[in-house]
């Protein structure tokens, strides 16, 4: 089934997770991370249970010092001759039980949170990928692939680790410190207050660290995305780099970006090191003060030795989370950055949406009308197409010709609604394509691009990409074979595993002509009402092009076809020709008629002939049509000086 067709299975959608009050970049970390709640909600029971288990483990650890205080102030304080052996063994058993309970609860926490954490990651990745597929081509023109890859892989992996470890560690550490300090204040008075005073500079340092580290974290993750883009571009363009001997240049550029990322990571590590030093020194210095004060209090009998022992044992339990606070906090801030980057994509609205009340043509025949069409890539940019009008009658083949940059490929994108018109309308069988479901439009319109894209799948899967999975296997196989035969793609039978041969990434294991033929076969197999071909034969040799052209005439019978012609031989496929100039269709007619009446058409065809001759490609096989050479209102010097008789003979 094509990607745009409806899927009856319930799946999370972007709209179900996109909040109306999305926080901006300056929002608090808590508000930013709270946006994860819709994703986390199904896993919340297990995560809460894991948090309770972790909290129970911390409370068990905090209970051990209380037992030690009882032992020191009880049996041990009575003297060797009065030791209560039973009480000592009972205390030992209780400490052992508390230790085992702590270990068991930690194990339970891990088993509870790992599975839901991976599910949350999978759901978020699925939502992001579906949204990326749904977003228009214009979005992908602006965004680098490496940035999107880093968001869907490394950022979401970071969020999973934070959910199953960082978040619980932050909550449990906070609870441990609060409960522990409360016990210290309640049981040791002044000692507890002194320890509490030590938390003031820690709080100030943590606040300052958060502000600085967040900016560095965002810069680091953005630079990692840029580095992924550099790798992606170099791998995809490896043939070009090798052919031109530019591998060293690519390496230098990559090394520069990697060095920039390394410096940022060092800055991050420096920030973490400074806060770790502070979070280690301040509590240890506080304990040194408490040791002196505690010794004096014990000497003056203001506290017991057992209470002093319990104080330092409890402080040791508290110090662990305090020292780890730097790591936990940095992980939390990294997670906040990952959330911002994730929603930066997810919050991107798709302007190409399905209408609330979609329409379906009453008589689907394949008639296409472009009515007063204007298109701009940017709101303030110059129009690529300017009040263009063109009709493609049902069942006819129209060749679209024009000079480079005239807007031919852009026009081809408008018919299947890969772009939306800025003004005017594109109608399919009398219905504006914006009033139809995108899936319906793209089932009716198939496209074969000049630069074919194949996927890392088998030949069969690539060719049948646009064929409905619900069709019987025999019909799918028949379409597959017919499409391959029309596209002259018999070479697939010589591949190692025939139709089941897996094509490498982007089909780079095949030649350019082989990739084009498979892409053409894919468009033919879809059996669309409208077929848009953007110079699909440019990489073929003359003999193969002639064979494909002969079969295409048969298969295009009854199909409305728009062929973007970059070579004169492609015009031979068409019933009529439309001339595109400065964003408008200036003439429509047969090849013979346009040769006789349109100077700009003669100029375009002459230019295409020159390019074909330069590249050794066959010329248009058409007789001289008695060009009258009226000259018209030629737009360029070359057009006005063309030798019409010579042009007619050559064409």
């Amino acid at each position: 089934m094509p990607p745009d067709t409806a899927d009856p299975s319930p799946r999370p959608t972007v709209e179900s997770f996109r909040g109306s009050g999305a926080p901006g970049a300056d929002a608090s970390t808590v508000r930013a991370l709270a946006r994860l709640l819709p994703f986390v909600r199904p896993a919340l029971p297990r995560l809460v249970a894991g948090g309770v288990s972790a909290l129970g483990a911390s409370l068990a650890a905090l209970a051990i010092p209380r037992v030690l205080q009882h032992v020191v102030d009880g049996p041990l304080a009575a003297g060797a001759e009065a030791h209560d052996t039973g009480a000592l063994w009972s205390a030992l058993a209780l400490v052992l039980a508390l230790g085992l309970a702590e270990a068991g609860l930690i194990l339970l926490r891990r088993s509870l949170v790992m599975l839901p954490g991976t599910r949350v990651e999978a759901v978020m990745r699925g939502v992001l990928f579906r949204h990326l597929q749904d977003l228009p081509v214009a979005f992908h023109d602006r965004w680098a692939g490496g940035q999107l890859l880093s968001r869907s892989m490394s950022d979401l992996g970071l969020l999973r680790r934070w959910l199953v470890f960082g978040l619980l560690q932050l909550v449990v550490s906070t609870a441990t410190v609060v409960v522990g300090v409360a016990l210290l204040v309640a049981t040791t008075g002044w000692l507890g207050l002194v320890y509490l005073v030590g938390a003031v500079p820690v709080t100030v340092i943590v606040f300052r660290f958060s502000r600085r580290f967040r900016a560095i974290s965002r810069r680091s993750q953005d630079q990692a995305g840029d580095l992924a883009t550099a790798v992606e571009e170099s791998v995809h363009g490896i043939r070009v780099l090798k052919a031109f001997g530019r591998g060293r240049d690519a390496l230098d550029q990559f090394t520069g970006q990697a060095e920039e990322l390394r410096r940022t990571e060092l800055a991050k590590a420096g920030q973490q090191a400074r806060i770790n030093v502070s979070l280690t020194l301040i509590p240890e210095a506080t304990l040194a003060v408490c040791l002196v004060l505690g010794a004096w209090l014990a000497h003056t009998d203001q506290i017991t030795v057992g209470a002093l022992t319990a104080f330092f044992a409890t402080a040791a339990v508290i110090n662990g989370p305090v020292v780890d606070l730097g790591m936990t906090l940095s992980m939390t801030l990294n997670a906040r950055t990952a959330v911002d980057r994730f929603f930066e994509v997810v919050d991107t609205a798709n302007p190409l949406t399905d209408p609330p009340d979609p329409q379906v043509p009453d008589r689907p025949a394949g008639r296409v009308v472009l009515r007063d069409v204007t298109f701009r890539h940017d709101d303030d940019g110059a129009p690529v197409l300017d009040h263009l009008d063109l009709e493609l009658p049902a069942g006819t083949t129209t060749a679209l010709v024009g000079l480079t940059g005239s807007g031919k490929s852009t026009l081809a994108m408008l018919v299947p609604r890969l772009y939306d018109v800025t003004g005017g309308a594109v109608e399919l069988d009398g219905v504006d394509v914006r009033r139809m479901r995108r899936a319906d439009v793209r089932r009716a319109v198939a496209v074969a691009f000049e630069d074919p894209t194949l996927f890392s799948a088998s030949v069969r899967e690539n060719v049948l990409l646009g064929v409905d999975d619900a069709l019987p296997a025999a019909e799918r196989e028949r379409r597959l074979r017919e499409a391959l035969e029309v596209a002259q793609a018999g070479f697939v039978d010589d591949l190692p595993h025939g139709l089941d041969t897996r094509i490498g990434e982007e089909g780079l294991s095949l030649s350019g002509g082989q990739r084009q033929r498979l892409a053409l076969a894919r468009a033919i197999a879809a059996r669309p009402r409208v077929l848009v071909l953007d110079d699909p034969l440019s990489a073929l040799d003359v003999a193969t092009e002639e064979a494909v052209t002969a079969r295409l005439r048969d298969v295009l019978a009854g199909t409305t076809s728009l062929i973007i012609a970059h070579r004169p031989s492609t015009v031979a496929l068409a019933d009529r020709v439309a001339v595109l100039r400065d964003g408008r269709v200036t003439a429509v007619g047969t090849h013979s008629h346009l040769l006789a009446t349109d100077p700009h058409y003669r100029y375009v065809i002459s230019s295409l002939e020159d390019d074909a001759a330069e590249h050794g490609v066959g010329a248009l096989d058409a007789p001289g049509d008695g060009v009258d050479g009226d000259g018209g209102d030629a737009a360029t010097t070359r057009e006005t000086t063309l030798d019409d008789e010579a042009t007619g003979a050559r064409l």
Side-chain angles (χ1 to χ4, degrees), residues 1-7 11 129-130 133-134 439 442 455 465-466:
M1 181 181 294
D4 290 284
T5 55
D7 187 346
R11 287 179 175 177
F129 186 72
R130 278 191 290 276
Q133 285 186 307
D134 191 55
R442 292 165 192 171
F455 298 95
L465 185 68

Side-chain angles (χ1 to χ4, degrees), residues 374-385:
T374 299
F375 178 80
R376 290 179 172 85
H377 285 290
D378 300 307
D379 293 338
D380 300 328
V384 180
L385 302 176

Side-chain angles (χ1 to χ4, degrees), residues 227-246:
L227 198 62
T229 298
V231 174
E232 180 187 41
E233 290 177 348
S234 297
V235 170
H236 288 171
I238 191 65
R239 288 168 173 78
V240 176
L241 293 176
K242 286 182 175 294
F244 286 92
R246 290 296 183 177

Side-chain angles (χ1 to χ4, degrees), residues 114-470:
M114 287 305 297
L115 181 61
T118 57
R119 284 179 177 169
V120 169
E121 179 186 20
V123 169
M124 293 182 70
R125 185 167 289 132
V127 167
L128 179 62
F129 186 72
R130 278 191 290 276
H131 190 51
L132 288 175
Q133 285 186 307
D134 191 55
L135 285 169
V137 175
F139 171 86
H140 295 280
D141 291 341
R142 296 191 305 269
W143 278 74
Q147 287 289 349
L148 299 176
L149 179 64
S150 67
R151 282 162 168 78
S152 61
M153 299 303 297
S154 59
D155 284 359
L156 292 182
L158 190 153
L159 282 174
R160 171 182 54 79
R161 292 190 293 274
W162 177 75
L163 279 173
V164 302
F165 175 76
L167 175 61
L168 295 183
Q169 187 73 12
L170 187 63
V171 172
V172 172
S173 295
T174 301
T176 301
V177 171
V178 170
V179 173
V181 171
L183 283 173
L184 293 180
V185 173
T187 58
T188 57
W190 284 107
L191 280 181
L193 290 175
V194 170
Y195 191 86
L196 183 61
V197 169
V200 175
V202 169
T203 304
V204 174
I205 290 172
V206 166
F207 178 75
R208 291 180 176 176
F209 167 79
S210 299
R211 297 181 62 182
R212 289 193 296 264
F213 190 84
R214 199 176 82 187
I216 298 176
S217 175
R218 177 61 194 245
R219 186 165 69 249
S220 170
Q221 287 168 260
D222 286 344
Q223 289 173 349
D226 292 338
L227 198 62
T229 298
V231 174
E232 180 187 41
E233 290 177 348
S234 297
V235 170
H236 288 171
I238 191 65
R239 288 168 173 78
V240 176
L241 293 176
K242 286 182 175 294
F244 286 92
R246 290 296 183 177
R248 172 59 61 181
D249 294 338
L251 177 60
D252 291 342
Q253 181 183 0
F254 175 83
T255 302
Q257 290 179 282
E259 176 62 23
E260 188 177 7
L261 176 60
R262 186 184 75 87
R263 288 195 295 267
T264 303
E265 288 295 331
L266 284 175
K268 280 178 62 178
Q271 290 289 337
Q272 289 177 297
R274 280 190 285 274
I275 192 172
N276 286 338
V277 168
S278 300
L279 294 179
T280 301
L281 284 179
I282 293 175
E284 294 296 337
T286 304
L287 285 180
V289 174
C290 290
L291 179 60
V292 175
L293 179 61
W296 178 77
L297 291 174
H299 178 71
T300 57
D301 294 328
Q302 297 185 50
I303 61 172
T304 65
V305 174
L308 185 62
T309 302
F311 172 86
F312 283 101
T314 302
V317 174
I318 296 173
N319 274 12
V322 172
V323 171
D324 292 340
L325 184 61
M327 181 189 67
T328 306
L329 190 58
S330 63
M331 180 180 286
T332 300
L333 294 172
N334 283 332
R336 184 259 162 86
T337 300
V339 168
D340 289 343
R341 283 163 50 87
F342 173 81
F343 281 103
E344 191 175 21
V345 176
V346 170
D347 286 341
T348 302
N350 185 3
L352 274 65
T353 57
D354 291 335
D357 52 343
Q359 299 178 10
V360 178
D362 294 331
R363 296 180 180 178
R367 176 174 175 265
V368 177
V369 177
L370 291 91
R371 199 184 306 279
D372 196 29
V373 166
T374 299
F375 178 80
R376 290 179 172 85
H377 285 290
D378 300 307
D379 293 338
D380 300 328
V384 180
L385 302 176
D386 188 13
H387 298 287
L388 176 146
D389 291 292
L390 177 64
E391 179 179 352
L392 309 179
T396 63
T397 299
T398 302
L400 185 66
V401 300
L403 298 176
T404 301
S406 59
K408 300 186 297 295
S409 295
T410 299
L411 189 151
M413 292 280 200
L414 296 178
V415 178
R417 207 187 168 202
L418 297 180
Y419 289 128
D420 254 350
V421 297
T422 308
V426 177
E427 297 178 358
L428 177 60
D429 292 319
V431 179
D432 190 328
V433 293
R434 291 170 294 185
R435 302 299 303 163
M436 300 173 62
R437 292 176 64 248
R438 286 168 293 165
D440 294 337
V441 173
R442 292 165 192 171
R443 268 195 295 264
V445 182
V447 185
F449 298 103
E450 178 183 9
D451 186 16
T453 297
L454 301 178
F455 298 95
S456 297
S458 68
V459 172
R460 184 189 308 276
E461 290 169 320
N462 270 282
V463 175
L464 294 179
L465 185 68
V467 179
D468 193 341
D469 293 333

